[in-house]
mmCIF file of all heavy atoms in Angstrom:
data_model
loop_
_atom_site.group_PDB
_atom_site.id
_atom_site.type_symbol
_atom_site.label_atom_id
_atom_site.label_comp_id
_atom_site.label_asym_id
_atom_site.label_seq_id
_atom_site.Cartn_x
_atom_site.Cartn_y
_atom_site.Cartn_z
ATOM 1 N N GLY K 178 11.495 12.593 6.941
ATOM 2 C CA GLY K 178 12.250 12.794 5.699
ATOM 3 C C GLY K 178 12.109 11.629 4.732
ATOM 4 O O GLY K 178 12.601 11.694 3.609
ATOM 5 N N TYR K 179 11.458 10.572 5.201
ATOM 6 C CA TYR K 179 11.249 9.409 4.338
ATOM 7 C C TYR K 179 9.756 9.174 4.125
ATOM 8 O O TYR K 179 8.926 9.620 4.915
ATOM 9 C CB TYR K 179 11.873 8.152 4.952
ATOM 10 C CG TYR K 179 13.374 8.205 5.028
ATOM 11 C CD1 TYR K 179 14.020 8.398 6.248
ATOM 12 C CD2 TYR K 179 14.153 8.064 3.880
ATOM 13 C CE1 TYR K 179 15.410 8.455 6.311
ATOM 14 C CE2 TYR K 179 15.535 8.125 3.932
ATOM 15 C CZ TYR K 179 16.162 8.314 5.147
ATOM 16 O OH TYR K 179 17.528 8.366 5.212
ATOM 17 N N GLU K 180 9.452 8.413 3.062
ATOM 18 C CA GLU K 180 8.058 8.055 2.771
ATOM 19 C C GLU K 180 7.981 6.542 2.648
ATOM 20 O O GLU K 180 8.654 5.947 1.827
ATOM 21 C CB GLU K 180 7.646 8.711 1.446
ATOM 22 C CG GLU K 180 6.177 8.728 1.088
ATOM 23 C CD GLU K 180 5.392 7.460 1.337
ATOM 24 O OE1 GLU K 180 5.470 6.504 0.551
ATOM 25 O OE2 GLU K 180 4.666 7.424 2.345
ATOM 26 N N GLY K 181 7.161 5.936 3.518
ATOM 27 C CA GLY K 181 6.911 4.505 3.424
ATOM 28 C C GLY K 181 8.104 3.662 3.823
ATOM 29 O O GLY K 181 9.144 4.171 4.287
ATOM 30 N N CYS K 182 7.960 2.366 3.661
ATOM 31 C CA CYS K 182 9.061 1.444 3.944
ATOM 32 C C CYS K 182 8.809 0.133 3.209
ATOM 33 O O CYS K 182 7.724 -0.081 2.663
ATOM 34 C CB CYS K 182 9.193 1.189 5.446
ATOM 35 S SG CYS K 182 7.976 0.031 6.104
ATOM 36 N N TYR K 183 9.827 -0.719 3.178
ATOM 37 C CA TYR K 183 9.611 -2.062 2.648
ATOM 38 C C TYR K 183 10.500 -3.049 3.386
ATOM 39 O O TYR K 183 11.535 -2.684 3.949
ATOM 40 C CB TYR K 183 9.839 -2.135 1.128
ATOM 41 C CG TYR K 183 11.275 -1.981 0.671
ATOM 42 C CD1 TYR K 183 12.023 -3.102 0.298
ATOM 43 C CD2 TYR K 183 11.890 -0.736 0.592
ATOM 44 C CE1 TYR K 183 13.340 -2.977 -0.143
ATOM 45 C CE2 TYR K 183 13.199 -0.613 0.150
ATOM 46 C CZ TYR K 183 13.920 -1.733 -0.216
ATOM 47 O OH TYR K 183 15.216 -1.605 -0.647
ATOM 48 N N ALA K 184 10.064 -4.287 3.379
ATOM 49 C CA ALA K 184 10.824 -5.386 3.978
ATOM 50 C C ALA K 184 10.366 -6.653 3.269
ATOM 51 O O ALA K 184 9.159 -6.895 3.172
ATOM 52 C CB ALA K 184 10.542 -5.492 5.476
ATOM 53 N N GLY K 185 11.298 -7.411 2.744
ATOM 54 C CA GLY K 185 10.915 -8.582 1.969
ATOM 55 C C GLY K 185 10.021 -8.149 0.824
ATOM 56 O O GLY K 185 10.348 -7.223 0.083
ATOM 57 N N HIS K 186 8.846 -8.756 0.715
ATOM 58 C CA HIS K 186 7.920 -8.412 -0.365
ATOM 59 C C HIS K 186 6.714 -7.610 0.139
ATOM 60 O O HIS K 186 5.635 -7.673 -0.440
ATOM 61 C CB HIS K 186 7.464 -9.690 -1.080
ATOM 62 C CG HIS K 186 8.567 -10.348 -1.853
ATOM 63 N ND1 HIS K 186 8.452 -11.576 -2.421
ATOM 64 C CD2 HIS K 186 9.824 -9.912 -2.154
ATOM 65 C CE1 HIS K 186 9.583 -11.879 -3.036
ATOM 66 N NE2 HIS K 186 10.427 -10.888 -2.885
ATOM 67 N N VAL K 187 6.938 -6.890 1.221
ATOM 68 C CA VAL K 187 5.872 -6.061 1.788
ATOM 69 C C VAL K 187 6.256 -4.586 1.655
ATOM 70 O O VAL K 187 7.351 -4.192 2.039
ATOM 71 C CB VAL K 187 5.654 -6.399 3.288
ATOM 72 C CG1 VAL K 187 4.571 -5.515 3.884
ATOM 73 C CG2 VAL K 187 5.302 -7.877 3.442
ATOM 74 N N VAL K 188 5.337 -3.802 1.083
ATOM 75 C CA VAL K 188 5.564 -2.361 0.918
ATOM 76 C C VAL K 188 4.503 -1.615 1.712
ATOM 77 O O VAL K 188 3.309 -1.916 1.598
ATOM 78 C CB VAL K 188 5.456 -1.939 -0.572
ATOM 79 C CG1 VAL K 188 5.550 -0.428 -0.720
ATOM 80 C CG2 VAL K 188 6.528 -2.631 -1.403
ATOM 81 N N GLY K 189 4.913 -0.643 2.503
ATOM 82 C CA GLY K 189 3.984 0.230 3.215
ATOM 83 C C GLY K 189 4.187 1.650 2.727
ATOM 84 O O GLY K 189 5.319 2.064 2.446
ATOM 85 N N THR K 190 3.096 2.407 2.596
ATOM 86 C CA THR K 190 3.216 3.772 2.070
ATOM 87 C C THR K 190 2.060 4.643 2.550
ATOM 88 O O THR K 190 0.980 4.122 2.864
ATOM 89 C CB THR K 190 3.229 3.747 0.517
ATOM 90 O OG1 THR K 190 3.306 5.088 0.026
ATOM 91 C CG2 THR K 190 1.980 3.098 -0.066
ATOM 92 N N TYR K 191 2.282 5.940 2.593
ATOM 93 C CA TYR K 191 1.194 6.878 2.876
ATOM 94 C C TYR K 191 0.498 7.334 1.598
ATOM 95 O O TYR K 191 -0.415 8.141 1.639
ATOM 96 C CB TYR K 191 1.732 8.101 3.636
ATOM 97 C CG TYR K 191 1.790 7.859 5.134
ATOM 98 C CD1 TYR K 191 3.003 7.664 5.785
ATOM 99 C CD2 TYR K 191 0.622 7.802 5.882
ATOM 100 C CE1 TYR K 191 3.047 7.419 7.155
ATOM 101 C CE2 TYR K 191 0.650 7.556 7.244
ATOM 102 C CZ TYR K 191 1.862 7.371 7.871
ATOM 103 O OH TYR K 191 1.885 7.124 9.224
ATOM 104 N N LEU K 192 0.921 6.819 0.444
ATOM 105 C CA LEU K 192 0.411 7.318 -0.833
ATOM 106 C C LEU K 192 -0.976 6.801 -1.183
ATOM 107 O O LEU K 192 -1.185 5.594 -1.343
ATOM 108 C CB LEU K 192 1.353 6.905 -1.965
ATOM 109 C CG LEU K 192 2.738 7.534 -1.980
ATOM 110 C CD1 LEU K 192 3.562 6.909 -3.091
ATOM 111 C CD2 LEU K 192 2.635 9.027 -2.177
ATOM 112 N N HIS K 193 -1.909 7.735 -1.354
ATOM 113 C CA HIS K 193 -3.187 7.447 -2.005
ATOM 114 C C HIS K 193 -3.072 7.971 -3.437
ATOM 115 O O HIS K 193 -2.065 8.545 -3.812
ATOM 116 C CB HIS K 193 -4.331 8.194 -1.315
ATOM 117 C CG HIS K 193 -4.536 7.821 0.105
ATOM 118 N ND1 HIS K 193 -5.169 6.665 0.495
ATOM 119 C CD2 HIS K 193 -4.211 8.463 1.250
ATOM 120 C CE1 HIS K 193 -5.244 6.618 1.813
ATOM 121 N NE2 HIS K 193 -4.660 7.700 2.303
ATOM 122 N N GLY K 194 -4.158 7.825 -4.169
ATOM 123 C CA GLY K 194 -4.110 8.477 -5.492
ATOM 124 C C GLY K 194 -4.898 7.814 -6.608
ATOM 125 O O GLY K 194 -5.372 8.532 -7.449
ATOM 126 N N PRO K 195 -5.116 6.511 -6.687
ATOM 127 C CA PRO K 195 -4.449 5.471 -5.889
ATOM 128 C C PRO K 195 -2.967 5.293 -6.285
ATOM 129 O O PRO K 195 -2.580 5.611 -7.411
ATOM 130 C CB PRO K 195 -5.244 4.208 -6.237
ATOM 131 C CG PRO K 195 -5.946 4.499 -7.515
ATOM 132 C CD PRO K 195 -6.055 5.984 -7.665
ATOM 133 N N ALA K 196 -2.207 4.794 -5.325
ATOM 134 C CA ALA K 196 -0.746 4.722 -5.475
ATOM 135 C C ALA K 196 -0.327 3.989 -6.747
ATOM 136 O O ALA K 196 0.576 4.432 -7.454
ATOM 137 C CB ALA K 196 -0.135 4.030 -4.257
ATOM 138 N N LEU K 197 -0.991 2.879 -7.076
ATOM 139 C CA LEU K 197 -0.521 2.074 -8.210
ATOM 140 C C LEU K 197 -0.940 2.673 -9.547
ATOM 141 O O LEU K 197 -0.300 2.408 -10.564
ATOM 142 C CB LEU K 197 -1.008 0.623 -8.085
ATOM 143 C CG LEU K 197 -0.539 -0.109 -6.829
ATOM 144 C CD1 LEU K 197 -0.939 -1.584 -6.895
ATOM 145 C CD2 LEU K 197 0.965 0.025 -6.611
ATOM 146 N N ALA K 198 -2.005 3.496 -9.568
ATOM 147 C CA ALA K 198 -2.378 4.195 -10.800
ATOM 148 C C ALA K 198 -1.392 5.331 -11.050
ATOM 149 O O ALA K 198 -0.989 5.586 -12.184
ATOM 150 C CB ALA K 198 -3.796 4.734 -10.699
ATOM 151 N N ARG K 199 -0.983 5.996 -9.988
ATOM 152 C CA ARG K 199 -0.038 7.102 -10.133
ATOM 153 C C ARG K 199 1.382 6.583 -10.400
ATOM 154 O O ARG K 199 2.219 7.305 -10.916
ATOM 155 C CB ARG K 199 -0.010 7.917 -8.833
ATOM 156 C CG ARG K 199 -1.292 8.649 -8.535
ATOM 157 C CD ARG K 199 -1.144 10.123 -8.894
ATOM 158 N NE ARG K 199 -2.048 10.906 -8.107
ATOM 159 C CZ ARG K 199 -1.657 11.943 -7.355
ATOM 160 N NH1 ARG K 199 -0.399 12.299 -7.286
ATOM 161 N NH2 ARG K 199 -2.543 12.623 -6.672
ATOM 162 N N ASN K 200 1.635 5.338 -9.957
ATOM 163 C CA ASN K 200 2.989 4.788 -10.039
ATOM 164 C C ASN K 200 2.943 3.342 -10.552
ATOM 165 O O ASN K 200 3.123 2.394 -9.780
ATOM 166 C CB ASN K 200 3.652 4.816 -8.649
ATOM 167 C CG ASN K 200 3.603 6.196 -8.029
ATOM 168 O OD1 ASN K 200 4.410 7.059 -8.376
ATOM 169 N ND2 ASN K 200 2.650 6.425 -7.131
ATOM 170 N N PRO K 201 2.706 3.164 -11.865
ATOM 171 C CA PRO K 201 2.580 1.802 -12.392
ATOM 172 C C PRO K 201 3.813 0.937 -12.119
ATOM 173 O O PRO K 201 3.685 -0.286 -12.003
ATOM 174 C CB PRO K 201 2.391 2.008 -13.894
ATOM 175 C CG PRO K 201 2.014 3.431 -14.088
ATOM 176 C CD PRO K 201 2.480 4.197 -12.895
ATOM 177 N N ALA K 202 4.981 1.566 -11.991
ATOM 178 C CA ALA K 202 6.199 0.772 -11.741
ATOM 179 C C ALA K 202 6.126 0.085 -10.376
ATOM 180 O O ALA K 202 6.707 -0.993 -10.177
ATOM 181 C CB ALA K 202 7.441 1.661 -11.820
ATOM 182 N N LEU K 203 5.406 0.701 -9.445
ATOM 183 C CA LEU K 203 5.238 0.083 -8.128
ATOM 184 C C LEU K 203 4.329 -1.151 -8.247
ATOM 185 O O LEU K 203 4.557 -2.180 -7.593
ATOM 186 C CB LEU K 203 4.649 1.112 -7.161
ATOM 187 C CG LEU K 203 4.608 0.792 -5.668
ATOM 188 C CD1 LEU K 203 5.981 0.428 -5.119
ATOM 189 C CD2 LEU K 203 4.020 1.967 -4.881
ATOM 190 N N ALA K 204 3.317 -1.051 -9.109
ATOM 191 C CA ALA K 204 2.453 -2.216 -9.370
ATOM 192 C C ALA K 204 3.286 -3.350 -9.962
ATOM 193 O O ALA K 204 3.147 -4.520 -9.565
ATOM 194 C CB ALA K 204 1.329 -1.832 -10.329
ATOM 195 N N ASP K 205 4.177 -3.001 -10.889
ATOM 196 C CA ASP K 205 4.995 -4.038 -11.524
ATOM 197 C C ASP K 205 6.000 -4.645 -10.546
ATOM 198 O O ASP K 205 6.360 -5.819 -10.679
ATOM 199 C CB ASP K 205 5.722 -3.469 -12.749
ATOM 200 C CG ASP K 205 4.778 -3.298 -13.930
ATOM 201 O OD1 ASP K 205 3.586 -3.664 -13.800
ATOM 202 O OD2 ASP K 205 5.222 -2.805 -14.978
ATOM 203 N N LEU K 206 6.438 -3.861 -9.566
ATOM 204 C CA LEU K 206 7.337 -4.420 -8.548
ATOM 205 C C LEU K 206 6.611 -5.540 -7.801
ATOM 206 O O LEU K 206 7.136 -6.648 -7.635
ATOM 207 C CB LEU K 206 7.762 -3.313 -7.570
ATOM 208 C CG LEU K 206 8.697 -3.728 -6.443
ATOM 209 C CD1 LEU K 206 10.121 -3.958 -6.973
ATOM 210 C CD2 LEU K 206 8.735 -2.678 -5.327
ATOM 211 N N LEU K 207 5.368 -5.262 -7.381
ATOM 212 C CA LEU K 207 4.577 -6.265 -6.646
ATOM 213 C C LEU K 207 4.288 -7.482 -7.529
ATOM 214 O O LEU K 207 4.408 -8.629 -7.087
ATOM 215 C CB LEU K 207 3.256 -5.652 -6.171
ATOM 216 C CG LEU K 207 3.363 -4.558 -5.114
ATOM 217 C CD1 LEU K 207 2.067 -3.765 -5.039
ATOM 218 C CD2 LEU K 207 3.701 -5.137 -3.747
ATOM 219 N N LEU K 208 3.916 -7.227 -8.775
ATOM 220 C CA LEU K 208 3.620 -8.336 -9.699
ATOM 221 C C LEU K 208 4.870 -9.171 -9.947
ATOM 222 O O LEU K 208 4.835 -10.405 -9.914
ATOM 223 C CB LEU K 208 3.094 -7.791 -11.030
ATOM 224 C CG LEU K 208 1.671 -7.244 -11.043
ATOM 225 C CD1 LEU K 208 1.392 -6.553 -12.373
ATOM 226 C CD2 LEU K 208 0.661 -8.373 -10.829
ATOM 227 N N GLY K 209 5.978 -8.483 -10.192
ATOM 228 C CA GLY K 209 7.226 -9.183 -10.519
ATOM 229 C C GLY K 209 7.702 -10.063 -9.374
ATOM 230 O O GLY K 209 8.267 -11.137 -9.600
ATOM 231 N N TRP K 210 7.463 -9.633 -8.129
ATOM 232 C CA TRP K 210 7.866 -10.444 -6.979
ATOM 233 C C TRP K 210 7.167 -11.804 -6.998
ATOM 234 O O TRP K 210 7.702 -12.779 -6.520
ATOM 235 C CB TRP K 210 7.530 -9.709 -5.678
ATOM 236 C CG TRP K 210 8.561 -8.697 -5.278
ATOM 237 C CD1 TRP K 210 9.876 -8.653 -5.667
ATOM 238 C CD2 TRP K 210 8.380 -7.586 -4.388
ATOM 239 N NE1 TRP K 210 10.515 -7.590 -5.072
ATOM 240 C CE2 TRP K 210 9.624 -6.923 -4.276
ATOM 241 C CE3 TRP K 210 7.297 -7.087 -3.672
ATOM 242 C CZ2 TRP K 210 9.806 -5.793 -3.480
ATOM 243 C CZ3 TRP K 210 7.483 -5.960 -2.876
ATOM 244 C CH2 TRP K 210 8.720 -5.313 -2.779
ATOM 245 N N ARG K 211 5.942 -11.835 -7.538
ATOM 246 C CA ARG K 211 5.185 -13.098 -7.566
ATOM 247 C C ARG K 211 5.335 -13.859 -8.868
ATOM 248 O O ARG K 211 5.309 -15.078 -8.887
ATOM 249 C CB ARG K 211 3.688 -12.824 -7.348
ATOM 250 C CG ARG K 211 3.312 -12.530 -5.944
ATOM 251 C CD ARG K 211 3.860 -13.518 -4.958
ATOM 252 N NE ARG K 211 3.081 -14.743 -4.812
ATOM 253 C CZ ARG K 211 3.408 -15.735 -3.988
ATOM 254 N NH1 ARG K 211 4.495 -15.660 -3.256
ATOM 255 N NH2 ARG K 211 2.652 -16.802 -3.910
ATOM 256 N N VAL K 212 5.454 -13.093 -9.962
ATOM 257 C CA VAL K 212 5.356 -13.708 -11.287
ATOM 258 C C VAL K 212 6.721 -13.872 -11.939
ATOM 259 O O VAL K 212 6.898 -14.703 -12.825
ATOM 260 C CB VAL K 212 4.435 -12.827 -12.173
ATOM 261 C CG1 VAL K 212 4.384 -13.304 -13.601
ATOM 262 C CG2 VAL K 212 3.035 -12.769 -11.596
ATOM 263 N N GLY K 213 7.703 -13.088 -11.504
ATOM 264 C CA GLY K 213 9.019 -13.098 -12.155
ATOM 265 C C GLY K 213 9.059 -12.059 -13.261
ATOM 266 O O GLY K 213 8.333 -11.072 -13.217
#
Side-chain angles (χ1 to χ4, degrees):
Y179 294 106
E180 193 317 281
C182 78
Y183 70 102
H186 292 171
V187 179
V188 174
T190 178
Y191 275 107
L192 293 175
H193 298 282
L197 300 187
R199 293 258 206 126
N200 307 281
L203 191 55
D205 284 358
L206 180 74
L207 293 163
L208 286 171
W210 277 338
R211 284 311 277 180
V212 174

